[in-house]
Amino acid sequence: MSPRAGLDTHTLVLAAAEIADEQGIEEVTLAALAARLGVRSPSLYNHINGLQGLRSLLAVHGLELLNAAIAAASEGLKGDAAIHAMGQAYVDFARKHPGLYETTLRAPEEGNSELVRASEQVLSSIIRLLSCYELDAEGELHAVRGLRSLLHGFAALENKGGFGMPLDTNISLNWLISTFIAGIRSMSSST
């Protein structure tokens, strides 16, 4: 195989994201990526720092897409409507990009400034949406953890086929988010 013209880091990340979403993150290997792009595995090292480097780039890409989805869904909204829109966008992202979504779950490793930046952008976006509930700084972080746990749990169960009953999962998600909002309202009024 001869090197493909126009091969760059962005192209590699997009192709790896496709593999992750189609087959799962564990199927993203340098050999699989090279085969998808029609190049030899060693030529990938001109653009990435091995498999770990590729996975890090995938996580940054996934976090940037997730943040963009959250921002677009909640634009111009405040309060409960913004939290509902953000929650729906989060789960929709996990539905559309199951492999890429998986890369967004780990806390960024120390020293990876791009991953830290992308992770902090998502965190800041969610905190900004929660600001209307007048939680203190620690309460906001607990609320982000709680909301992320709810949304991730929902997305993971749905992705693994855990919702077998003939009920609309979006209605269940809406109910779950409403319950979360009632809980943080209760927490903010008791402090």
Side-chain angles (χ1 to χ4, degrees):
M1 287 183 240
S2 61
R4 193 170 114 185
L7 191 63
D8 59 18
T9 304
H10 184 69
T11 301
L12 296 180
V13 170
L14 293 179
E18 287 175 0
I19 295 168
D21 289 340
E22 292 167 5
Q23 301 171 28
I25 190 63
E26 295 306 318
E27 298 303 315
V28 177
T29 64
L30 296 182
L33 181 58
R36 168 121 353 172
L37 294 169
V39 299
R40 293 180 186 199
S41 294
S43 66
L44 300 177
Y45 287 94
N46 294 325
H47 307 284
I48 58 171
N49 187 15
L51 185 58
Q52 187 59 37
L54 176 62
R55 296 238 171 125
S56 179
L57 291 170
L58 277 172
V60 169
H61 178 63
L63 287 164
E64 288 173 344
L65 289 179
L66 177 59
N67 194 52
I70 289 169
S74 60
E75 185 176 356
L77 301 175
K78 291 184 180 183
D80 297 1
I83 299 301
H84 276 281
M86 186 278 303
Q88 185 69 55
Y90 186 103
V91 171
D92 285 345
F93 177 82
R95 288 170 176 160
K96 184 176 180 182
H97 300 287
L100 192 56
Y101 168 71
E102 195 172 329
T103 69
T104 70
L105 299 176
R106 292 186 58 128
E109 62 268 6
E110 196 172 313
N112 187 333
S113 60
E114 280 300 298
L115 192 52
V116 168
R117 176 199 54 78
S119 184
E120 286 177 353
Q121 283 180 330
V122 173
L123 177 64
S124 295
S125 293
I126 297 172
I127 287 174
R128 194 170 32 258
L129 295 175
L130 290 168
S131 66
C132 69
Y133 298 103
E134 299 179 6
L135 300 166
D136 61 20
E138 186 175 317
E140 285 176 342
L141 293 177
H142 289 304
V144 168
R145 283 181 175 173
L147 184 54
R148 183 177 174 219
S149 296
L150 284 169
L151 297 173
H152 170 68
F154 189 93
L157 283 168
E158 185 178 58
N159 184 37
K160 297 294 183 188
F163 298 138
M165 294 180 190
L167 293 171
D168 184 336
T169 56
N170 287 320
I171 293 172
S172 297
L173 178 60
N174 185 49
W175 187 88
L176 184 63
I177 294 169
S178 293
T179 303
F180 171 81
I181 291 169
I184 62 170
R185 282 190 184 285
S186 171
M187 294 299 291
S188 65
S189 68
S190 68
T191 57

